[in-house]
Coordinates of all heavy atoms in Angstrom, one line a residue:
P283 N -18.7 28.0 -2.0 CA -19.2 27.9 -3.4 C -20.2 26.8 -3.6 O -21.1 27.0 -4.4 CB -17.9 27.7 -4.2 CG -16.8 27.3 -3.3 CD -17.3 27.7 -1.9
Y284 N -20.0 25.6 -3.0 CA -20.9 24.5 -3.2 C -22.3 24.8 -2.6 O -23.3 24.5 -3.1 CB -20.3 23.2 -2.7 CG -19.0 22.8 -3.3 CD1 -17.8 22.9 -2.6 CD2 -19.0 22.5 -4.7 CE1 -16.6 22.5 -3.3 CE2 -17.8 22.1 -5.3 CZ -16.7 22.1 -4.6 OH -15.5 21.8 -5.2
S285 N -22.2 25.4 -1.4 CA -23.5 25.7 -0.7 C -24.2 26.8 -1.5 O -25.5 26.8 -1.6 CB -23.2 26.2 0.7 OG -22.7 25.1 1.5
Q286 N -23.5 27.8 -2.0 CA -24.1 28.8 -2.8 C -24.8 28.3 -4.0 O -25.9 28.7 -4.4 CB -23.1 29.9 -3.2 CG -23.7 31.1 -3.9 CD -24.7 31.8 -3.0 OE1 -24.4 32.2 -1.8 NE2 -25.9 32.1 -3.4
K287 N -24.2 27.3 -4.7 CA -24.8 26.7 -5.8 C -26.2 26.1 -5.5 O -27.1 26.2 -6.2 CB -23.8 25.6 -6.3 CG -24.3 24.7 -7.4 CD -23.2 23.7 -7.7 CE -23.7 22.7 -8.8 NZ -22.6 21.7 -9.1
V288 N -26.3 25.4 -4.3 CA -27.5 24.9 -3.9 C -28.5 26.0 -3.5 O -29.7 25.9 -3.9 CB -27.3 23.9 -2.7 CG1 -28.6 23.5 -2.0 CG2 -26.5 22.7 -3.1
R289 N -28.1 27.0 -2.8 CA -29.0 28.1 -2.5 C -29.5 28.8 -3.7 O -30.7 29.1 -3.8 CB -28.3 29.1 -1.6 CG -28.1 28.7 -0.1 CD -27.7 29.9 0.7 NE -26.4 30.4 0.4 CZ -25.2 30.0 0.8 NH1 -25.2 29.0 1.7 NH2 -24.1 30.5 0.4
D290 N -28.7 28.9 -4.7 CA -29.1 29.6 -6.0 C -30.2 28.7 -6.6 O -31.2 29.3 -7.2 CB -27.9 29.7 -6.9 CG -26.9 30.8 -6.5 OD1 -27.2 31.6 -5.6 OD2 -25.8 30.8 -7.1
K291 N -30.0 27.4 -6.6 CA -31.0 26.5 -7.3 C -32.3 26.6 -6.5 O -33.4 26.6 -7.1 CB -30.5 25.1 -7.4 CG -31.4 24.1 -8.0 CD -31.9 24.6 -9.4 CE -30.7 24.6 -10.4 NZ -31.2 24.9 -11.8
L292 N -32.3 26.6 -5.2 CA -33.5 26.6 -4.3 C -34.2 27.9 -4.7 O -35.4 27.9 -4.8 CB -33.1 26.6 -2.8 CG -32.6 25.2 -2.3 CD1 -31.9 25.4 -1.0 CD2 -33.8 24.3 -2.2
H293 N -33.5 29.0 -4.8 CA -34.1 30.3 -5.1 C -34.7 30.3 -6.5 O -35.8 30.8 -6.7 CB -33.1 31.5 -4.9 CG -32.8 31.8 -3.5 ND1 -33.7 32.5 -2.7 CD2 -31.7 31.6 -2.8 CE1 -33.1 32.6 -1.5 NE2 -31.9 32.1 -1.5
E294 N -34.0 29.8 -7.4 CA -34.4 29.7 -8.8 C -35.8 28.9 -8.9 O -36.7 29.3 -9.7 CB -33.4 29.0 -9.7 CG -33.8 28.8 -11.1 CD -32.8 27.9 -11.9 OE1 -31.6 28.1 -11.6 OE2 -33.2 27.1 -12.7
L295 N -35.9 27.9 -8.2 CA -37.1 27.0 -8.2 C -38.2 27.5 -7.3 O -39.3 26.9 -7.3 CB -36.7 25.6 -7.9 CG -35.7 24.9 -8.9 CD1 -35.3 23.5 -8.3 CD2 -36.4 24.8 -10.2
G296 N -37.9 28.5 -6.5 CA -38.9 29.0 -5.5 C -39.2 28.1 -4.4 O -40.3 28.1 -3.8
V297 N -38.2 27.3 -4.0 CA -38.4 26.3 -2.9 C -38.0 27.0 -1.6 O -36.9 27.5 -1.4 CB -37.4 25.1 -3.1 CG1 -37.6 24.1 -1.9 CG2 -37.7 24.4 -4.4
E298 N -39.0 27.0 -0.7 CA -38.7 27.5 0.7 C -37.9 26.5 1.4 O -38.1 25.3 1.3 CB -40.1 27.7 1.4 CG -40.9 28.9 0.8 CD -42.1 29.2 1.6 OE1 -42.1 28.9 2.9 OE2 -43.1 29.7 1.1
Y299 N -37.0 27.0 2.3 CA -36.1 26.1 3.0 C -35.6 26.8 4.3 O -35.7 28.0 4.4 CB -34.9 25.7 2.2 CG -34.0 26.8 1.8 CD1 -32.8 27.1 2.5 CD2 -34.2 27.6 0.7 CE1 -32.0 28.1 2.2 CE2 -33.4 28.7 0.3 CZ -32.3 28.9 1.1 OH -31.4 30.0 0.7
D300 N -35.2 26.0 5.2 CA -34.6 26.5 6.4 C -33.1 26.2 6.3 O -32.7 25.1 5.9 CB -35.1 25.7 7.7 CG -36.5 26.0 8.0 OD1 -37.0 27.2 7.8 OD2 -37.2 25.1 8.3
E301 N -32.3 27.2 6.6 CA -30.8 27.1 6.5 C -30.2 27.1 7.8 O -30.6 27.9 8.7 CB -30.3 28.3 5.7 CG -28.8 28.3 5.5 CD -28.3 29.4 4.6 OE1 -29.0 30.4 4.4 OE2 -27.1 29.3 4.1
T302 N -29.3 26.2 8.0 CA -28.6 26.1 9.3 C -27.1 26.4 9.0 O -26.5 25.7 8.1 CB -28.7 24.7 9.9 OG1 -30.0 24.4 10.1 CG2 -27.9 24.6 11.2
V303 N -26.6 27.4 9.6 CA -25.2 27.8 9.4 C -24.3 27.0 10.3 O -24.6 27.0 11.5 CB -25.0 29.3 9.6 CG1 -23.5 29.6 9.4 CG2 -25.8 30.1 8.6
V304 N -23.4 26.2 9.8 CA -22.5 25.4 10.6 C -21.2 26.1 10.9 O -20.8 27.0 10.1 CB -22.3 24.0 10.0 CG1 -23.6 23.3 9.8 CG2 -21.6 24.1 8.7
P305 N -20.5 25.7 11.9 CA -19.2 26.3 12.2 C -18.2 26.1 11.0 O -18.3 25.1 10.3 CB -18.7 25.6 13.4 CG -19.9 25.1 14.1 CD -20.8 24.7 12.9
D306 N -17.3 27.1 10.8 CA -16.3 27.0 9.7 C -15.4 25.8 9.9 O -15.1 25.1 9.0 CB -15.5 28.2 9.6 CG -16.2 29.4 9.1 OD1 -17.2 29.2 8.3 OD2 -15.9 30.6 9.3
K307 N -15.0 25.5 11.2 CA -14.1 24.4 11.5 C -14.9 23.1 11.5 O -15.8 22.9 12.2 CB -13.5 24.7 12.9 CG -12.4 23.8 13.2 CD -11.7 24.2 14.5 CE -10.5 23.3 14.8 NZ -9.9 23.7 16.0
H308 N -14.4 22.2 10.6 CA -15.1 20.9 10.5 C -15.2 20.2 11.8 O -16.3 19.5 12.0 CB -14.3 20.0 9.4 CG -14.6 20.4 8.0 ND1 -14.0 21.5 7.5 CD2 -15.3 19.8 7.1 CE1 -14.4 21.6 6.2 NE2 -15.2 20.6 5.9
T309 N -14.3 20.2 12.6 CA -14.3 19.5 13.9 C -15.4 20.0 14.8 O -15.7 19.3 15.8 CB -12.9 19.5 14.6 OG1 -12.5 20.8 14.8 CG2 -11.9 18.7 13.8
N310 N -15.9 21.2 14.6 CA -17.0 21.7 15.4 C -18.4 21.5 14.9 O -19.3 22.0 15.4 CB -16.8 23.2 15.6 CG -15.5 23.6 16.4 OD1 -15.0 22.7 17.1 ND2 -15.0 24.8 16.2
R311 N -18.5 20.6 13.9 CA -19.8 20.3 13.3 C -20.4 19.0 13.8 O -20.8 18.1 13.1 CB -19.6 20.2 11.7 CG -19.1 21.5 11.1 CD -18.9 21.4 9.6 NE -18.5 22.7 9.1 CZ -18.1 22.8 7.8 NH1 -18.2 21.8 7.0 NH2 -17.7 24.0 7.4
E312 N -20.5 18.9 15.1 CA -20.9 17.7 15.8 C -22.4 17.4 15.4 O -22.7 16.2 15.2 CB -20.8 17.8 17.3 CG -19.4 17.6 17.8 CD -18.8 16.3 17.3 OE1 -19.4 15.2 17.4 OE2 -17.6 16.3 16.7
E313 N -23.3 18.4 15.4 CA -24.7 18.1 15.1 C -24.8 17.5 13.7 O -25.5 16.5 13.5 CB -25.5 19.3 15.2 CG -27.0 19.0 15.0 CD -27.9 20.2 15.1 OE1 -27.4 21.3 15.6 OE2 -29.1 20.1 14.7
L314 N -24.1 18.0 12.8 CA -24.2 17.5 11.4 C -23.6 16.1 11.3 O -24.2 15.2 10.7 CB -23.4 18.4 10.4 CG -23.3 18.0 9.0 CD1 -24.7 18.0 8.4 CD2 -22.4 19.0 8.2
Y315 N -22.5 15.9 12.0 CA -21.8 14.6 12.1 C -22.8 13.5 12.7 O -22.9 12.4 12.2 CB -20.5 14.6 12.8 CG -19.8 13.3 12.8 CD1 -19.1 12.9 11.6 CD2 -19.8 12.5 13.9 CE1 -18.5 11.7 11.6 CE2 -19.1 11.3 13.9 CZ -18.5 10.9 12.8 OH -17.9 9.7 12.7
E316 N -23.4 13.9 13.8 CA -24.4 13.0 14.4 C -25.5 12.6 13.5 O -26.0 11.5 13.6 CB -24.9 13.6 15.7 CG -23.8 13.7 16.8 CD -24.3 14.5 18.0 OE1 -25.5 14.8 18.1 OE2 -23.4 14.8 18.9
R317 N -26.0 13.5 12.7 CA -27.1 13.2 11.8 C -26.7 12.5 10.6 O -27.6 11.8 10.0 CB -27.9 14.5 11.5 CG -28.6 15.2 12.7 CD -29.4 16.3 12.3 NE -30.6 15.9 11.5 CZ -31.4 16.8 11.0 NH1 -31.2 18.1 11.2 NH2 -32.4 16.3 10.3
T318 N -25.5 12.8 10.1 CA -25.2 12.3 8.7 C -23.9 11.4 8.7 O -23.7 10.7 7.7 CB -24.9 13.4 7.8 OG1 -23.7 14.1 8.2 CG2 -26.1 14.4 7.7
G319 N -23.1 11.4 9.7 CA -21.9 10.7 9.7 C -20.8 11.4 8.9 O -19.7 10.8 8.6
Q320 N -21.0 12.6 8.5 CA -20.0 13.4 7.8 C -20.1 14.8 8.2 O -21.0 15.2 8.9 CB -20.2 13.3 6.3 CG -21.6 13.6 5.7 CD -21.6 15.1 5.3 OE1 -20.7 15.6 4.6 NE2 -22.7 15.8 5.6
R321 N -19.1 15.6 7.9 CA -19.0 17.0 8.4 C -19.0 18.0 7.2 O -18.9 19.2 7.5 CB -17.7 17.2 9.2 CG -17.7 16.3 10.4 CD -16.4 16.5 11.2 NE -16.2 15.4 12.2 CZ -16.7 15.5 13.4 NH1 -17.4 16.6 13.8 NH2 -16.5 14.6 14.3
G322 N -19.1 17.6 6.0 CA -19.1 18.5 4.9 C -20.4 19.1 4.6 O -21.5 18.6 4.9
V323 N -20.4 20.3 3.9 CA -21.6 21.0 3.5 C -21.4 21.3 2.0 O -20.3 21.3 1.5 CB -21.8 22.3 4.3 CG1 -22.2 22.0 5.7 CG2 -20.7 23.2 4.2
P324 N -22.5 21.4 1.3 CA -23.9 21.4 1.7 C -24.4 20.1 2.1 O -23.9 19.0 1.6 CB -24.6 22.0 0.6 CG -23.9 21.6 -0.6 CD -22.4 21.6 -0.2
C325 N -25.5 20.1 2.8 CA -26.2 18.8 3.1 C -27.7 19.2 3.1 O -28.1 20.1 3.8 CB -25.7 18.3 4.5 SG -26.4 16.8 4.9
L326 N -28.5 18.4 2.3 CA -29.9 18.7 2.2 C -30.7 17.6 2.9 O -30.5 16.4 2.6 CB -30.3 18.8 0.7 CG -31.8 19.0 0.5 CD1 -32.2 20.4 0.7 CD2 -32.1 18.6 -1.0
F327 N -31.6 18.0 3.8 CA -32.6 17.1 4.4 C -33.9 17.5 3.7 O -34.4 18.6 3.9 CB -32.7 17.3 5.9 CG -31.4 16.9 6.6 CD1 -30.4 17.9 6.8 CD2 -31.2 15.6 7.0 CE1 -29.3 17.5 7.5 CE2 -30.0 15.3 7.7 CZ -29.1 16.2 7.9
D328 N -34.5 16.5 3.0 CA -35.7 16.8 2.2 C -36.6 15.6 2.4 O -36.3 14.5 1.9 CB -35.5 17.1 0.8 CG -36.7 17.5 0.0 OD1 -37.8 17.3 0.5 OD2 -36.5 17.9 -1.2
P329 N -37.8 15.7 3.0 CA -38.7 14.6 3.1 C -39.1 14.0 1.8 O -39.6 12.8 1.7 CB -39.9 15.1 3.9 CG -39.8 16.6 3.8 CD -38.4 17.0 3.5
R330 N -39.0 14.7 0.7 CA -39.3 14.2 -0.6 C -38.2 13.4 -1.3 O -38.3 12.9 -2.4 CB -39.8 15.3 -1.5 CG -41.1 16.0 -1.0 CD -41.5 17.1 -1.8 NE -42.0 16.7 -3.1 CZ -42.4 17.6 -4.0 NH1 -42.5 18.9 -3.8 NH2 -42.8 17.1 -5.2
A331 N -37.0 13.4 -0.6 CA -35.9 12.6 -1.1 C -35.9 11.2 -0.7 O -36.5 10.8 0.3 CB -34.6 13.3 -0.6
E332 N -35.4 10.3 -1.5 CA -35.4 8.9 -1.2 C -34.4 8.6 -0.1 O -34.7 7.7 0.7 CB -34.9 8.1 -2.4 CG -35.9 8.1 -3.6 CD -35.5 7.3 -4.8 OE1 -34.6 6.5 -4.6 OE2 -36.1 7.5 -5.9
Q333 N -33.3 9.3 0.0 CA -32.4 9.1 1.1 C -32.8 10.1 2.3 O -33.5 11.0 2.1 CB -31.0 9.5 0.7 CG -30.5 8.9 -0.6 CD -30.8 9.9 -1.8 OE1 -31.9 10.3 -2.0 NE2 -29.7 10.2 -2.5
T334 N -32.2 9.8 3.5 CA -32.4 10.7 4.6 C -31.8 12.0 4.4 O -32.4 13.0 4.7 CB -31.7 10.0 5.9 OG1 -32.2 8.7 6.0 CG2 -32.0 10.9 7.1
F335 N -30.7 12.1 3.7 CA -30.0 13.4 3.4 C -29.2 13.2 2.1 O -28.9 12.1 1.7 CB -29.1 13.8 4.5 CG -27.9 12.9 4.7 CD1 -26.7 13.2 4.1 CD2 -28.0 11.8 5.5 CE1 -25.6 12.4 4.2 CE2 -26.9 11.0 5.7 CZ -25.7 11.3 5.1
I336 N -28.9 14.3 1.4 CA -28.1 14.4 0.2 C -27.0 15.3 0.5 O -27.2 16.4 1.0 CB -28.9 14.8 -1.0 CG1 -30.2 14.0 -1.2 CG2 -28.0 14.8 -2.2 CD1 -31.1 14.6 -2.2
A337 N -25.7 14.9 0.3 CA -24.6 15.7 0.7 C -23.7 16.3 -0.4 O -22.9 17.1 -0.1 CB -23.7 14.8 1.7
D338 N -23.9 15.9 -1.6 CA -23.1 16.4 -2.7 C -23.9 17.4 -3.4 O -25.0 17.2 -3.8 CB -22.7 15.2 -3.7 CG -21.9 15.7 -4.8 OD1 -20.7 15.9 -4.7 OD2 -22.6 15.9 -5.9
S339 N -23.2 18.6 -3.7 CA -24.0 19.7 -4.3 C -24.6 19.3 -5.7 O -25.7 19.7 -6.0 CB -23.1 21.0 -4.4 OG -22.0 20.7 -5.3
D340 N -23.8 18.6 -6.5 CA -24.4 18.2 -7.8 C -25.6 17.3 -7.6 O -26.6 17.4 -8.3 CB -23.3 17.5 -8.6 CG -22.2 18.4 -9.1 OD1 -22.5 19.6 -9.3 OD2 -21.1 18.0 -9.4
D341 N -25.5 16.3 -6.7 CA -26.6 15.4 -6.4 C -27.8 16.2 -5.8 O -29.0 15.9 -6.2 CB -26.2 14.3 -5.4 CG -25.2 13.4 -6.0 OD1 -25.1 13.3 -7.2 OD2 -24.6 12.7 -5.2
I342 N -27.6 17.2 -5.0 CA -28.6 18.0 -4.5 C -29.3 18.8 -5.6 O -30.6 18.8 -5.7 CB -28.1 19.0 -3.4 CG1 -27.6 18.2 -2.2 CG2 -29.2 20.0 -3.0 CD1 -26.9 19.1 -1.1
V343 N -28.6 19.4 -6.4 CA -29.2 20.2 -7.6 C -30.0 19.3 -8.5 O -31.1 19.6 -8.9 CB -28.1 20.9 -8.3 CG1 -28.6 21.5 -9.6 CG2 -27.5 22.1 -7.5
A344 N -29.5 18.1 -8.7 CA -30.2 17.1 -9.6 C -31.5 16.7 -8.9 O -32.6 16.7 -9.6 CB -29.3 15.9 -9.9
H345 N -31.5 16.5 -7.6 CA -32.7 16.1 -6.9 C -33.7 17.3 -6.9 O -34.9 17.1 -7.2 CB -32.4 15.8 -5.4 CG -33.5 15.9 -4.5 ND1 -34.5 14.9 -4.5 CD2 -33.9 16.8 -3.6 CE1 -35.4 15.2 -3.6 NE2 -35.1 16.4 -3.1
L346 N -33.2 18.5 -6.7 CA -34.1 19.7 -6.8 C -34.7 19.8 -8.1 O -35.9 20.1 -8.2 CB -33.3 20.9 -6.4 CG -32.8 21.0 -4.9 CD1 -31.9 22.2 -4.7 CD2 -34.0 21.0 -3.9
E347 N -34.0 19.6 -9.2 CA -34.5 19.8 -10.5 C -35.6 18.7 -10.8 O -36.6 19.0 -11.4 CB -33.3 19.6 -11.6 CG -32.4 20.7 -11.7 CD -33.0 21.9 -12.5 OE1 -34.0 21.7 -13.2 OE2 -32.4 23.0 -12.4
R348 N -35.3 17.5 -10.4 CA -36.3 16.4 -10.6 C -37.5 16.6 -9.8 O -38.6 16.3 -10.3 CB -35.7 15.0 -10.2 CG -34.7 14.4 -11.1 CD -34.4 13.0 -10.7 NE -34.1 12.8 -9.3 CZ -32.9 12.9 -8.8 NH1 -31.9 13.2 -9.6 NH2 -32.6 12.7 -7.5
T349 N -37.4 17.1 -8.6 CA -38.5 17.1 -7.6 C -39.3 18.4 -7.7 O -40.5 18.3 -7.5 CB -37.9 16.9 -6.2 OG1 -37.1 15.7 -6.2 CG2 -39.0 16.8 -5.2
Y350 N -38.7 19.5 -8.0 CA -39.4 20.8 -7.8 C -39.5 21.6 -9.1 O -40.1 22.7 -9.1 CB -38.6 21.7 -6.8 CG -38.7 21.1 -5.4 CD1 -37.6 20.3 -4.9 CD2 -39.8 21.2 -4.6 CE1 -37.7 19.7 -3.7 CE2 -39.9 20.6 -3.4 CZ -38.8 19.9 -2.9 OH -38.9 19.3 -1.7
R351 N -39.1 21.1 -10.2 CA -39.2 21.8 -11.5 C -40.6 21.6 -12.0 O -41.3 20.7 -12.0 CB -38.2 21.3 -12.5 CG -38.4 22.1 -13.8 CD -37.2 22.5 -14.5 NE -36.0 23.1 -13.9 CZ -35.7 24.4 -13.9 NH1 -36.5 25.2 -14.5 NH2 -34.6 24.8 -13.4

């Protein structure tokens, strides 16, 4: 549900993006863990963001609204 919320906002704003589907099992999300230090999704990597990544769906939506509206 959290990832869908982010996808919906990306579509609403017409933002093109690449989606990486991660394994359902958190312990199998090594690539995500190596890049972020966490295993939860959604996680947004956006060169226009102040941080390297944004991991909370509410924070992601707020960033998208500020940056792409």
Side-chain angles (χ1 to χ4, degrees):
Y284 299 111
S285 294
Q286 186 61 51
K287 174 181 176 178
V288 171
R289 283 192 299 271
D290 289 347
K291 182 56 66 175
L292 287 162
H293 287 287
E294 174 188 322
L295 296 172
V297 178
E298 291 186 26
Y299 65 96
D300 294 322
E301 181 176 16
T302 302
V303 177
V304 298
D306 288 336
K307 192 172 181 182
H308 282 74
T309 55
N310 292 340
R311 298 178 181 175
E312 282 305 312
E313 182 180 352
L314 181 62
Y315 183 76
E316 289 171 11
R317 292 186 69 185
T318 68
Q320 56 96 41
R321 298 177 192 274
V323 293
C325 185
L326 178 75
F327 295 91
D328 183 349
R330 294 176 70 179
E332 292 180 17
Q333 314 92 301
T334 304
F335 67 92
I336 306 170
D338 178 81
S339 62
D340 289 333
D341 292 342
I342 293 170
V343 168
H345 163 75
L346 294 172
E347 287 280 347
R348 281 191 313 272
T349 307
Y350 296 98
R351 180 140 318 252

